[in-house]
Amino acid sequence: MTAPAAADLDPVLPEPLRTEAAAWAAVANAPVPAGPDSTDFSFQPDPAWEAAEEAFLDAFDAAHPDLEADGRGDVVRLLPAFGPFAPGDETHARLCWLCVNAVRMVRHCWDEIAENPDARDRLFALADVLRGDWFRKGEGAEPEWAPLTEAAVALRDGTKVSDCDSCRVEPVAAAVAHAARFARDGDRSDAAACLRNVQWAADEGCWWHDPAEPASAPAEWAVWFVLHALPAAWRCEELPPCAPGTPVWRGV
């Protein structure tokens, strides 16, 4: 699936965010190009690609020392494009909804694997917090943050999931907990941890795709994110868990 250009994104998004989102989507799931000396037995990345990665990381680390990006394909790079914020302001709310909507993209993976609904229930409870008067107006009693800020433990047959499925459910649980901490404290590193865990879960197969084209799943994740999750977050809206398509768990 072709990544959208900045002009293709929802005009509700400010131009700097549309530009950054389009640039991220273009490289998020693109294969690493082989260098001229690569062979079938020894892969060497293209030197120009490596130079671009290093230049991006140097610039990003210098501008945002509180964040750690893994490269141009790291979704964390989108956070600064939302602009500065203070806990409780509109930009903070937008970033909170971004975290909630991002987790909803991979939440069904938990539902397919775990017998207990803890991560799903905590995500729903967090969305209720974001809609409540305490978060929106600073009125009323502060929410009970425990256990929202704690990572849920996935159970199967009454015991913790510890086989190969753990690499799918654990990022989902961690993403929910970090999203709740970000809503409570406004520490941008928690928003980064939430989004990065969502991206890890998507990399492990927790994504919706056309069953006839399973290889399209990684590219579709980034495209769906910039076309749907970003504008909904900017409007402080919650996306339904199955929009814009029907979730299909992609086992890998």
Side-chain angles (χ1 to χ4, degrees):
M1 180 179 290
T2 302
D8 299 324
L9 303 186
D10 195 316
V12 71
L13 302 173
E15 184 176 357
L17 180 53
R18 283 186 282 122
T19 299
E20 187 70 2
W24 166 72
V27 298
N29 299 106
V32 176
D37 297 328
S38 295
T39 69
D40 292 339
F41 306 100
S42 177
F43 178 81
Q44 295 293 330
D46 184 271
W49 180 89
E50 289 188 302
E53 286 286 287
E54 292 178 6
F56 170 82
L57 288 174
D58 288 344
F60 190 89
D61 290 344
H64 311 290
D66 62 320
L67 299 175
E68 293 183 6
D70 291 333
R72 290 175 295 167
D74 193 336
V75 66
V76 168
R77 67 181 282 183
L78 300 183
L79 292 175
F82 273 75
F85 71 93
D89 69 11
E90 186 176 32
T91 300
H92 179 220
R94 287 167 170 163
L95 289 169
C96 286
W97 281 114
L98 181 67
C99 290
V100 167
N101 286 334
V103 179
R104 290 180 80 94
M105 298 168 66
V106 296
R107 193 214 76 211
H108 62 275
C109 198
W110 175 282
D111 295 339
E112 289 281 348
I113 295 172
E115 65 188 18
N116 56 316
D118 294 8
R120 181 186 66 210
D121 289 351
R122 293 176 194 183
L123 182 63
F124 288 172
L126 176 58
D128 287 339
V129 168
L130 300 186
R131 287 188 287 260
D133 287 342
W134 181 86
F135 184 82
R136 295 189 303 110
K137 304 176 183 178
E139 300 175 355
E142 183 173 356
E144 177 57 59
W145 291 107
L148 302 184
T149 53
E150 303 164 3
V153 176
L155 302 177
R156 180 194 286 138
D157 297 328
T159 61
K160 179 182 177 181
V161 174
S162 56
D163 57 13
C164 59
D165 281 334
S166 64
C167 63
R168 295 164 188 146
V169 291
E170 289 178 1
V172 175
V176 175
H178 281 291
R181 293 172 199 167
F182 177 64
R184 181 189 64 187
D185 304 327
D187 186 334
R188 194 167 61 167
S189 65
D190 279 311
C194 171
L195 296 185
R196 185 172 288 121
N197 272 281
V198 169
Q199 191 165 21
W200 287 338
D203 288 344
E204 290 297 331
C206 300
W207 176 231
W208 312 334
H209 74 288
D210 179 352
E213 298 182 34
S216 69
E220 289 179 355
W221 185 85
V223 172
W224 190 94
F225 193 95
V226 299
L227 290 179
H228 300 279
L230 279 181
W234 193 263
R235 295 183 173 97
C236 291
E237 295 175 351
E238 182 179 20
L239 290 178
C242 294
T246 301
V248 178
W249 185 51
R250 180 175 66 98
V252 294

